[in-house]
Amino acid sequence: MGNKQSIFTAQQLDAYQDCTYFTRKEILRLFYRYRDLAPQLVPLDYTKQPDVKLPYELIGSMPELKDNPFRQRIAEVFSEDGEGNMSLDDFLDMFSVLSEMAPRDLKAYYAFKIYDFNNDDFICKSDLEKTLNKLTRSELTEDEVKMVCEKVMDEADLDNDGRLSLEDFQHMIVRAPDFLSTFHIRI
Amino acid sequence: MPRDSLIASDNDADITLEFEGGEEGGHKERRHREKRRDGSKDRRKRGNGRRRQGSRSVERENEEERVGEREKERKRRVKKDQEAKKRDKEEGDRAQTRSEKTAKAKKNIKNEKRRRSEKEGEAGERTEKGKKKVQSAKKEKSVNHGTKDKTHEEKKKKRKKVLETSSEQETSEEDSEDKEDSEDEEVKPESLSPEELEKLKEAVDDKKKLIQSLRGKPWPMKKKLVTLRESQEFLEKYEGALGKGKGRKLYAYKVMMMKKWMKFQRDFENFKTACIPWEMKIKEIESHFGSSVASYFIFLRWMYGINMILFGLTFGLVMVPEALMGRPYGSIPRKTVPRAEEASAMDFAVLWDFGGYAQYSVLFYGFYSNQRAIGWLKFRMPLSYFLVGVGTVAYSYMVVIRTMARNANESGVGDDNSFNFSWKMFTSWDYLIGNPETADNKFASITTSFKEAILEEQESRKDDNIHLTRFLRVLANFLVLCCLAGSGYLIYFVVRRSQKFALDGLENHTWWERNEVNMVMSLLGMFCPMLFDVISTLENYHPRVALQWQLGRIFALFLGNLYTFIIALMDEINVKRDEEKIVKFNITMWEASLYNGTVSENFTAPPITIHPADVPRGPCWETMVGQEFVRLIISDTMTTYITLLIGDFLRAVLVRFLNHCWCWDLEAGFPSYSEFDVSGNVLGLIFNQGMIWMGAFYAPCLPALNVLRLHVSMYLQCWAVMCCNVPQERVFKASGSNNFYMAMLLVILFLSTLPAIYTIVTIPPSFDCGPFSGKNRMFDVIQETLESDFPAWFSKVFSYASNPGLVLPFILLMVLAIYYLQSTSKSYKEANVELKKKLQMQNEENKKKNKKAAQKALMDLEEARKVALESAGHQRNNNASYQGQQAREMQPATRVPRTINHRSHGNPGYLPNFPLQNETMIRRAPSLQRH
């Protein structure tokens, strides 16, 4: 039965399986990954649903994330408090969305949130500039950045309001050939 | 127990099932049944109605059995109704226990199995019904479940109970053996109408769907968990184990298989990339130097692959058989170093020049003996040698042409650039990267790709004075032509002069006069490309186009180089053949003297044994040609490597370390670091390959040498690029297909096979060396094989088939077929271009319309806002809501044109080539067609 673990109750595991794209094994593995970040903070018994949160510094230091220029955004988007401090639930949520099995629409929704730096539900020029600078480590000149941002707006902004709504973003991302293959983390 | 049988056994189903829930409640049953009796007629009607919706099989069964069962049924119902009153109290407990059980059963298959065996029938029947419901409910759009359910909760409770009873009724009718009927739910039939029932079913289905799709909801985990719990509870209450059986297991199985399949695909993909040599190196170079530099290395790798196959052919079918099965070294004169050279045969200088022992080995044509069959395998050596020579060329043609065709195909389809920048921005970072070095490379490559894209964009925006550019381009071409003509004349002049010197005898000329041709060649090869480079700045082309022009010009220059070499070689061959005639005559004289005037026929058993080294022999022009080519390849390779080391590495070292003690900035100023010279390297590679093709027939070792060279230069150049070159100032995107390189390669292939074929066909082979010695022409080996190795009829057929009367019509037919195919492909291409244009126009139109609509909507909104503001003076409070409403109304207006558009224009634009995967994409794609 594989019920030796006493971290979660069976119901909890079932519920997690219903809410994520993971099997029970993967959920347990993720839990251990989570716990390894701070063994002194995370209890081994989750049946009583303790309120534990790991600070962003720990989450961001995971090898899967530490080289990602958007790690802070990812943590912020998936954490409940928006500060990047993650509970186990948030943690599972994050990797579920970034897993291979998650559908395109879901991924697109979260990608939009990640690239929406100022959380105003639109990707505006300043968001684009930030994204670009993170992607290129600010190696493009100002003119180039400006031009690229204009091009992006020109291409993807369908309703011409000078910013990308979620709908615009989804329209654009749905046809991207390698969005699915790049927007995922193997764990 | 297998699932199917469960479903089939509807009849006895009900009993066990409700049992599990309420065994203890047996005594209450009676009351329940009594109560029921009153409403039995009503219920039956309803039940029938239900059944009608349901599957036919159930219905049929029911009809058959109903008559017989009615009596029993009534009795049973009396009992049942009696308990109904106590039900209410029990209800709560039962729901709890059940919810626990079902929660476990949901995912845990093992648990489920056990459970299933407990309540076989119920699950069976219910899943069937559940399916029906799902089918009916599928069309309905999902509503907001959470709110709906809560509001309707009370009502539903009642409704649900009726539902249960009606189903009970159904089954109890069918039951023949069972006394204890389902005692489960309460009966409150009076409060229910059929529509409400339907609604309830829908609600239940919605819940189930919700649970299934929960993981795909963009909610935080807490919300998901809460929703899950709520809907599970709801389901527990009203649906029991409905839908938990087969569907779930199948779903779990599917998910598992999908995961396995994905993992397999991933591993396979990894394996495939791992199998491609130097992929990581090239990726790294591409990320720092852009795709144009990477295209050179990809070309190099491709060339390496071809040479591997050529090497396999010559090595496996020519060199190894001769070395293993042919006569050993020293057995016959052609396999022995002559007496005069023996002393120096092992010297390094001689070996380096491929003389001495190297010359008399399998590496060269002359070593092969003309035995028809060698070894115990009866390997047809001369035939194999000839066929490998032909096969090498044929294979090269095939590969080059096939690659060109494939590249053309790829570029024909064209890539969709409508979201070029957006995709670069949002999908270029690979979230899988978990290694700082890879991340560095990725940053570099993204920056480079952005730079490339920016450059493309700027180029497409640029429109200068067209007349001036045109004039400058013509001028540049004129200048280049002058250069080429001048260098051509210079080469011609020098070659003529050197021939004159050669006639005089080389000894009485200076070093310069002796090496004039080579020096002039290399000087031209060094300075003309620079000149071309300067000239090409006049033209103001896009760097990619400029690179192609540059390549074409240097190519033309090098051709002259190549052909002077060939002409010189031909002269030498003629000289050797004259020499051969004399030697032949001398040998007859020598033999005559040896055998005292009688030219012995049985040369194989001479009375006096002469060591093969002492036998006089001809000059063997084939080996000489082979040696020339090998020497050329070696010296070419050496020059490449040395220039690489001095020109790039030493320069980089000097610039780097002398910089701080120099009077000007070396890094930014004059010497600076070198850029990678794509055109020169590509041409070097191509001409090198031409040499291989030309010389491989006379020196079977050439492909092997080339493989070695390519292998070394792959590593050396990769290293040199990464350590001492700087990226070009204008990083540009290489054209997707390397067809320009390929075209040059094809031209070179053709040009290099010409002389080889010419020598094979027209010049008779040497009389005492090589596999074809003693024959009049090299291709006679085919005829010989036909005559002696095949049955007589075959050679007859062959001679008929090679009759010009047959061959000419055949060739004509082929030409016609080629013409036909070409013209059809042309028309297809035109149609393609036309379609593309149309698509683009439509897309632009769509976009314009969208923008217009959006602007209009915006203006409307503004107006509305103004109006609102005007009236805002006195009623501020209403204002906000009014505006909000306006905005909400405007929203659809902006969207409408788009949907209309994609109905009317979008569909023709949808091409099957687009990689659309799921349904949503297909639905959306047409509205997105923008090129």
Side-chain angles (χ1 to χ4, degrees), chain A residues 93 100 135 137 154-155 182, chain B residues 422 431 440 443 847 930:
Chain A
D93 229 5
E100 246 173 351
L135 266 182
R137 286 186 174 157
D154 192 41
E155 284 167 2
T182 55
Chain B
S422 319
Y431 282 61
D440 281 346
F443 280 122
K847 201 174 174 186
R930 292 194 292 143

Side-chain angles (χ1 to χ4, degrees), chain B residues 210-313:
Chain B
L210 178 69
I211 290 182
Q212 291 233 322
S213 63
L214 199 59
R215 62 193 79 189
K217 291 269 187 295
W219 299 335
M221 184 65 94
K222 255 189 195 157
K223 191 174 166 191
K224 276 197 264 187
L225 284 175
V226 168
T227 325
L228 179 72
R229 207 176 309 125
E230 273 173 6
S231 41
Q232 269 176 351
E233 273 166 17
F234 178 82
L235 278 186
E236 283 323 312
K237 260 185 202 157
Y238 301 119
E239 197 67 358
L242 186 86
K244 254 175 232 165
K246 197 182 174 189
R248 263 187 172 256
K249 199 185 166 194
L250 199 72
Y251 180 74
Y253 182 70
K254 254 191 192 159
V255 169
M256 199 182 72
M257 285 317 285
M258 202 149 97
K259 273 191 177 168
K260 284 255 162 72
W261 173 239
M262 272 180 158
K263 189 170 157 19
F264 172 75
Q265 270 183 327
R266 199 168 68 202
D267 289 348
F268 188 68
E269 211 53 39
N270 283 350
F271 176 72
K272 264 200 324 203
T273 39
C275 282
I276 303 173
W278 303 307
E279 184 69 9
M280 287 319 294
K281 263 184 192 299
I282 292 176
K283 278 272 151 63
E284 198 182 340
I285 287 172
E286 184 169 13
S287 60
H288 284 98
F289 290 86
S291 47
S292 57
V293 175
S295 77
Y296 164 72
F297 285 96
I298 290 168
F299 188 59
L300 177 62
R301 185 175 63 188
W302 184 82
M303 212 71 122
Y304 183 79
I306 285 190
N307 277 291
M308 275 307 260
I309 287 172
L310 296 189
F311 166 68
L313 271 178

Side-chain angles (χ1 to χ4, degrees), chain A residues 25-147:
Chain A
K25 243 192 202 163
E26 286 166 325
I27 289 169
L28 287 176
R29 200 171 71 227
L30 274 172
F31 168 77
Y32 285 118
R33 285 298 306 274
Y34 182 71
R35 191 171 176 276
D36 284 346
L37 292 176
Q40 70 283 2
L41 282 178
V42 183
L44 265 174
D45 178 21
Y46 253 74
T47 47
K48 307 220 168 39
Q49 306 194 336
D51 185 29
V52 177
K53 278 191 175 177
L54 294 190
Y56 164 72
E57 287 72 37
L58 284 175
I59 300 286
S61 68
M62 287 182 70
E64 281 83 4
L65 288 177
K66 73 178 187 331
D67 292 308
N68 196 321
F70 304 109
R71 59 185 176 280
Q72 177 136 23
R73 279 302 300 164
I74 296 174
E76 281 169 13
V77 165
F78 285 101
S79 62
E80 205 154 21
D81 56 2
E83 305 272 305
N85 307 322
M86 300 188 102
S87 64
L88 180 65
D89 284 357
D90 300 332
F91 192 75
L92 285 174
D93 229 5
M94 172 167 80
F95 284 110
S96 168
V97 169
L98 289 169
S99 76
E100 246 173 351
M101 300 287 292
R104 201 180 265 262
D105 287 345
L106 184 68
K107 278 175 185 268
Y109 175 82
Y110 278 103
F112 179 79
K113 285 188 106 177
I114 287 172
Y115 295 124
D116 176 21
F117 280 80
N118 49 13
N119 293 327
D120 62 353
D121 289 333
F122 287 100
I123 294 184
C124 49
K125 280 229 162 126
S126 65
D127 294 328
L128 286 181
E129 274 165 26
K130 265 184 202 161
T131 311
L132 191 59
N133 282 334
K134 283 207 185 259
L135 266 182
T136 61
R137 286 186 174 157
S138 313
E139 273 180 33
L140 294 182
T141 63
E142 227 164 85
D143 284 345
E144 284 169 334
V145 170
K146 216 171 153 191
M147 193 190 133

Side-chain angles (χ1 to χ4, degrees), chain A residues 1 11 14-24 26 63-64 66-70 74 80 89-90 92-93 96 98 100-101 104-106 109-110 114-115 123 128 131-132 134-137 139-140 144 147-149 151-152 154-160 164-165 167-186, chain B residues 100 103-104 106-108 110-111 211 214-222 224-225 228-229 232 248 255 258-259 262-263 266 270 416-436 439-440 443 446-447 450-451 454 457-458 461 847 850-851 854-855 894-895 898 914 916-918 920-921 924-925 927-930:
Chain A
M1 292 287 289
Q11 286 98 315
D14 284 339
Y16 278 138
Q17 284 179 66
D18 270 337
C19 294
T20 64
Y21 289 94
F22 296 124
T23 59
R24 41 188 291 134
E26 286 166 325
E64 281 83 4
K66 73 178 187 331
D67 292 308
N68 196 321
F70 304 109
I74 296 174
E80 205 154 21
D89 284 357
D90 300 332
L92 285 174
D93 229 5
S96 168
L98 289 169
E100 246 173 351
M101 300 287 292
R104 201 180 265 262
D105 287 345
L106 184 68
Y109 175 82
Y110 278 103
I114 287 172
Y115 295 124
I123 294 184
L128 286 181
T131 311
L132 191 59
K134 283 207 185 259
L135 266 182
T136 61
R137 286 186 174 157
E139 273 180 33
L140 294 182
E144 284 169 334
M147 193 190 133
V148 170
C149 293
K151 279 302 291 181
V152 171
D154 192 41
E155 284 167 2
D157 182 20
L158 293 177
D159 48 14
N160 215 17
L164 302 183
S165 62
E167 200 180 316
D168 294 333
F169 187 78
Q170 276 174 338
H171 270 300
M172 182 266 296
I173 217 84
V174 149
R175 300 190 64 209
D178 40 10
F179 173 64
L180 278 189
S181 62
T182 55
F183 195 74
H184 94 251
I185 293 180
R186 235 174 260 152
Chain B
E100 256 179 47
K104 272 181 201 164
K106 281 230 156 118
K107 272 277 157 115
N108 198 329
K110 281 181 188 170
N111 282 353
I211 290 182
L214 199 59
R215 62 193 79 189
K217 291 269 187 295
W219 299 335
M221 184 65 94
K222 255 189 195 157
K224 276 197 264 187
L225 284 175
L228 179 72
R229 207 176 309 125
Q232 269 176 351
R248 263 187 172 256
V255 169
M258 202 149 97
K259 273 191 177 168
M262 272 180 158
K263 189 170 157 19
R266 199 168 68 202
N270 283 350
D416 183 9
N417 267 337
S418 51
F419 291 115
N420 189 10
F421 279 94
S422 319
W423 287 346
K424 274 209 171 68
M425 175 98 82
F426 294 118
T427 68
S428 57
W429 183 262
D430 190 350
Y431 282 61
L432 279 174
I433 290 174
N435 165 320
D440 281 346
F443 280 122
I446 288 173
T447 315
F450 265 116
K451 277 188 178 155
I454 288 168
E457 188 59 31
Q458 280 169 347
R461 272 187 199 175
K847 201 174 174 186
N850 282 342
K851 290 211 164 162
Q855 260 165 1
T894 62
R895 299 292 175 214
R898 197 187 305 152
F914 286 112
L916 302 172
Q917 275 129 16
N918 56 29
T920 48
M921 278 173 64
R924 275 175 188 168
S927 65
L928 290 164
Q929 294 286 355
R930 292 194 292 143

Side-chain angles (χ1 to χ4, degrees), chain B residues 507-522:
Chain B
E507 302 78 41
N508 35 20
H509 289 283
T510 55
W511 178 87
W512 168 257
E513 280 172 332
R514 264 180 284 153
N515 293 296
E516 203 174 38
V517 179
N518 291 336
M519 293 309 291
V520 167
M521 289 286 195
S522 38

Side-chain angles (χ1 to χ4, degrees), chain B residues 572-637:
Chain B
E572 205 146 338
I573 288 175
N574 286 332
V575 171
K576 291 268 173 184
R577 283 184 58 212
D578 291 341
E579 203 178 308
E580 195 182 81
K581 268 179 205 154
I582 301 165
V583 169
K584 225 175 177 175
F585 179 73
N586 282 349
I587 284 180
T588 23
M589 296 300 288
W590 174 75
E591 276 177 352
S593 69
L594 207 65
Y595 299 114
N596 296 327
T598 49
V599 179
S600 128
E601 293 299 310
N602 50 347
F603 184 73
T604 42
I608 315 148
T609 48
I610 319 151
H611 195 269
D614 297 325
V615 177
R617 58 187 80 174
C620 198
W621 60 267
E622 290 96 337
T623 300
M624 185 269 301
V625 172
Q627 269 176 311
E628 282 298 320
F629 276 109
V630 171
R631 279 180 209 145
L632 198 72
I633 294 291
I634 296 283
S635 67
D636 187 39
T637 312

